[in-house]
């Protein structure tokens, strides 16, 4: 009969103690796994991460350069060129010529000539002109004043010697003017024409008159500016300056430039009138820059000295008529004699020429250059 168990018996697995080697192996196995990863795998992962980091450090600049170079280069598109603004309508010279033609047609116009004027001023086709066509006309038409009143408008004053006109009964109020029929029919009169300009076909300039001509007073005469020369003095034969200008002007006016170079300073080039217009020259007087008078001059200063002269002379034409002429010259000293350095375009003034005061009256302001 089997013995009766009076107490609880431990299970065999719990009751049987484990061997020490088995316990250590289990501990080692448990220690080699952390969070589901073995320590060997962790070491390999850490080494791989280190290599990746070092690779990135080494390749970082190279990758940055490649990224920079791989960006497509976009050149800045040039700013669109804006067309330059069209210059304002100009053509002062053309407006002057247009006004001269208009005044010529206007002065000779009579009954039936309205279409001729309409070519310059379109509303003239509605006019009814009096008088006989061609009964009077203008001669020596000259533009004496040109003033731009707006961007595309020019006020042109044309002088004309009107002939064939019937003299008026009212005498002239201008000082010194004659009221005789001869003077009235041969008087110089002034007509102001407003001319508008606009761009025409093919880049040309088109013109039209804005009104019929208006008769105005003569332009104001400017005050003569002060010149740099002293008073006129007789041209003495013993004066070296007289000798220099006489020799030069004789070759210049009577020999068509023959032997002209011998009287010119080095580097000076002048062309004489041809054919020679005169047969003789006599220098009467000259005024010297800055010279107020004194003893006669018989010597020449040192080389390189320059002097400006204003010379008056009488030139004898082929018809034996003597004509007064005036020349502004610049002389230069060299080797004990005077030579001609230049034939000046105008006498030298001491200061800029002052213009007359501006005013709204016709002919009171100076005419600007076209």
């Amino acid at each position: 009969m089997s013995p009766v168990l009076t107490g609880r018996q431990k299970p065999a697995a719990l009751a049987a103690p484990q061997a020490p080697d088995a316990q250590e192996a289990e501990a080692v196995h448990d220690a080699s796994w952390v969070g589901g990863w073995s320590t060997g795998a962790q070491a390999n992962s850490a080494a791989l991460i280190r290599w990746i980091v070092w690779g990135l450090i080494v390749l970082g600049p190279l990758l940055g350069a490649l990224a920079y170079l791989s960006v497509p280069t976009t050149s800045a598109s040039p700013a669109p060129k804006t067309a330059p603004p069209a210059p304002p309508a100009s053509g002062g010279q053309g407006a002057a010529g247009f006004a001269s033609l208009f005044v010529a047609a206007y002065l000779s116009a009579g009954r039936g000539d309205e279409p001729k004027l309409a070519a310059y001023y379109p509303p003239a086709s509605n006019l009814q002109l009096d008088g006989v066509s061609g009964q009077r006309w203008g001669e020596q038409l000259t533009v004496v004043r040109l003033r731009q009143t707006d961007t595309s408008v020019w006020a042109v004053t044309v002088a004309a010697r009107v002939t064939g006109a019937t003299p008026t009964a009212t005498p002239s109020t201008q000082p010194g003017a004659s009221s005789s029929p001869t003077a009235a029919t041969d008087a110089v009169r002034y007509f102001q024409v407003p001319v508008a300009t606009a761009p025409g076909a093919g880049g040309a300039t088109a013109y039209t008159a804005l009104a019929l001509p208006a008769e105005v007073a003569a332009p104001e005469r400017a005050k003569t500016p002060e010149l740099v020369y002293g008073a006129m003095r007789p041209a003495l034969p013993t004066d070296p300056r007289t000798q220099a200008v006489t020799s030069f002007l004789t070759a210049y006016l009577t020999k068509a430039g023959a032997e002209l170079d011998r009287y010119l300073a080095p580097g000076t080039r002048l062309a004489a009138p041809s054919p020679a217009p005169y047969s003789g020259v006599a220098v009467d007087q000259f005024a010297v820059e800055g010279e107020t008078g004194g003893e006669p001059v018989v010597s020449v200063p040192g080389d390189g000295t320059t002097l400006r002269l204003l010379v008056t002379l009488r030139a004898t034409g082929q018809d034996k008529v003597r004509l007064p002429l005036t020349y502004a010259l610049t002389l230069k000293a060299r080797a004990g004699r005077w030579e001609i350095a230049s034939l000046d375009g105008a006498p030298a003034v001491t200061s800029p020429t002052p213009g007359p005061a501006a005013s709204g009256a016709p002919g009171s302001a100076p005419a600007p250059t076209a």
Side-chain angles (χ1 to χ4, degrees):
M1 192 173 177
S2 302
V4 178
L5 297 174
T6 59
R8 294 182 179 179
Q9 294 182 354
K10 293 182 180 179
L14 295 176
Q18 297 179 350
D21 294 338
Q23 293 178 354
E24 292 177 2
E26 183 177 359
V28 170
H29 175 75
D30 293 341
S32 64
W33 290 87
V34 177
W37 288 82
S38 67
T39 55
Q42 288 179 341
N44 293 335
S45 299
L48 178 61
I49 291 173
R50 284 197 301 273
W51 280 108
I52 291 174
V53 171
W54 279 107
L56 292 174
I57 292 175
V58 174
L59 296 177
L62 179 60
L63 293 176
L66 291 175
Y68 175 78
L69 294 176
S70 63
V71 176
T73 58
T74 57
S75 59
S77 59
K81 294 182 179 180
T82 58
S90 58
Q93 184 176 1
F98 181 87
S100 299
L101 294 174
F102 186 22
V103 170
Y106 169 81
L107 291 175
S108 62
R111 285 186 296 269
D113 289 337
E114 292 83 1
K116 295 181 180 179
L117 299 186
Y120 303 94
Y121 175 55
S125 58
N126 300 323
L127 295 176
Q128 291 184 354
L129 299 176
D130 292 336
V132 179
S133 175
Q135 185 177 18
R136 64 176 183 176
W137 60 91
E139 295 179 345
Q140 302 175 350
L141 274 72
T142 305
V143 174
V144 296
R145 188 165 183 258
L146 182 63
R147 180 168 56 97
Q148 191 169 15
T149 61
D150 203 343
T151 304
S152 58
V153 179
W154 295 85
V156 186
T157 303
V158 180
R161 188 175 299 278
V162 182
T163 60
T166 303
T168 58
T170 305
S172 174
T173 58
Q174 294 185 359
S178 172
S179 59
S180 65
T182 302
T185 58
D186 197 31
V188 176
R189 295 159 65 178
Y190 301 86
F191 298 88
Q192 181 174 278
V193 183
V195 178
T197 63
T205 304
Y207 305 93
T208 186
L210 299 180
L212 290 170
E215 189 155 358
V216 295
E220 183 180 355
R221 181 178 299 173
K223 181 181 178 181
T224 304
E226 186 177 353
L227 304 181
V228 300
Y229 315 98
M232 281 286 179
R233 60 164 52 194
L236 301 177
T238 55
D239 193 322
R241 297 167 298 187
T242 303
Q243 300 167 7
V245 297
T246 300
S247 300
F248 163 72
L249 291 171
T250 299
Y252 184 77
L253 295 173
T254 69
K255 299 180 181 179
E259 303 179 355
L260 188 63
D261 290 345
R262 62 183 298 185
Y263 306 110
L264 303 180
T268 303
R269 297 290 180 267
L270 289 175
S274 181
Y278 303 100
S279 60
V281 168
V283 176
D284 295 325
Q285 294 179 313
F286 58 75
V288 183
E289 177 183 8
E291 189 174 84
T292 57
E295 297 296 327
V297 177
V298 294
S299 61
V300 178
D303 290 2
T305 304
T306 59
L307 197 62
R308 291 186 288 189
L309 276 71
L310 192 63
V311 181
T312 62
L313 57 95
R314 289 168 297 151
T316 304
Q318 307 300 334
D319 55 1
K320 306 304 179 182
V321 175
R322 294 186 299 178
L323 185 69
L325 299 173
T326 301
Y327 287 89
L329 302 170
T330 298
L331 275 58
K332 189 173 185 180
R334 185 173 72 98
R337 71 189 190 107
W338 287 107
E339 297 176 330
I340 307 302
S342 67
L343 178 60
D344 302 332
V349 298
T350 57
S351 60
T353 305
S359 170
S364 58
T369 7

